[in-house]
Amino acid sequence: MRMRPTLSWTPAEDLPPGTTDLQPVADALGAGGVLVLSGAGISTESGIPDYRGEGGSLSRHTPMTYQDFTAGAPARRRYWARSHLGWRTFGRARPNAGHRAVAAFGRRGLLAGVITQNVDGLHQAAGSEDVVELHGSLDRVVCLSCGAFSPRRELARRLEEANPGFDPVAAGINPDGDADLTDEQVGDFRVVPCAICGGILKPDVVFFGENVPPRRVEHCRALVREATSLLVLGSSLTVMSGLRFVRQAAEAGKPVLIVNRDPTRGDRHALARVSVPLGAALTGVADRLGIPVGDDGPGRPAAAPPTS
């Protein structure tokens, strides 16, 4: 299925209101078998902005589409210049209380799995295992010609060598790791090719307008089928890539719980939408269940940037 390049969504007036009651979430987790589906909102407390919330990056930034990226070299130059700069900051982000709480729930055996729409690696950095990265990860690069994968750290080193002195000041960093730069700041930034075949390199992430790999989608559908309930964390569910799993769970009669400050496209399918900041919500649930969520977990950066 092709991921819809939907950048905005207007809530219907008849959506149920949010609540501050954490008990439905605590009850679901206490019963176990919960499948977590997370979005950009869970990473905002780590300093990575979301797309659509108050002050979200879509107010100033349009994400790269697959069609634009593959259409020509100028678009790829702009993307890699901005992404290379953003990587330095993005890669230093650390997991917050929400990520640590999810990892703690997993260690207690309460989760059926974690699906994330994020590309930041923060769930894994907090200690969660077997995370399905629905939209891929920024710490890998793929060649569009030969299909070879390589570490983002290696590409960062090559881009540093090809662009000595490139250090503009960005207006902001976006959830996709893209920095806000003007065309003047991008200048004549040099893009490097695949070291194996000379082909075009692309981050191993699903751009807007690109296909989510079918096997990955089916794996997620299987997780939904096996789960007892679905817990959505920090996603507006604007794009179909996440919303379809909410619909699947609801159609199967499985409870759907959503923790998100603003209304979402999945609210009509949910038992409740909890409108509480994610860190506070998940640590509050952990307290109710007697599960400690400390700061002594792995705590490593999502994907360490180059040290040069």
Side-chain angles (χ1 to χ4, degrees), residues 24-70:
V25 179
D27 290 343
L29 282 163
V34 176
L35 177 62
V36 167
L37 171 63
S38 71
I42 198 172
S43 294
T44 57
E45 293 174 38
S46 294
I48 300 174
D50 63 11
Y51 282 113
R52 299 173 179 85
E54 182 178 353
S57 69
L58 287 181
S59 62
R60 65 177 191 279
H61 163 76
T62 300
M64 174 63 66
T65 68
Y66 182 78
Q67 290 75 18
D68 287 342
F69 186 85
T70 56

Side-chain angles (χ1 to χ4, degrees), residues 18 29 31 41 84 87-88 103 109 117 121 143 156 199 206 226 241 268 283-285:
L29 282 163
H84 178 56
W87 172 250
R88 299 173 184 172
Q117 296 172 285
C143 175
V206 178
E226 295 165 3
S241 60
R268 66 179 67 256
T283 53
V285 169

Side-chain angles (χ1 to χ4, degrees), residues 181-207:
L181 295 179
T182 65
D183 288 343
E184 290 74 18
Q185 288 176 304
V186 169
D188 57 355
F189 185 86
R190 292 185 58 197
V191 176
V192 298
C194 173
I196 297 174
C197 73
I200 294 171
L201 294 176
K202 172 185 171 294
D204 186 27
V205 300
V206 178
F207 284 152

Side-chain angles (χ1 to χ4, degrees), residues 29 45 65 70-72 105 107 119 122 128 131 149 158 172 206 225 229 242 246 262-263 267 275 282 285 303:
L29 282 163
E45 293 174 38
T65 68
T70 56
F105 299 147
R107 287 192 295 271
V119 296
L122 288 173
S128 289
V131 178
F149 290 91
R158 295 178 62 204
V206 178
R225 288 194 293 269
S229 59
V246 171
D262 301 316
D267 284 4
S275 183
L282 294 180
V285 169

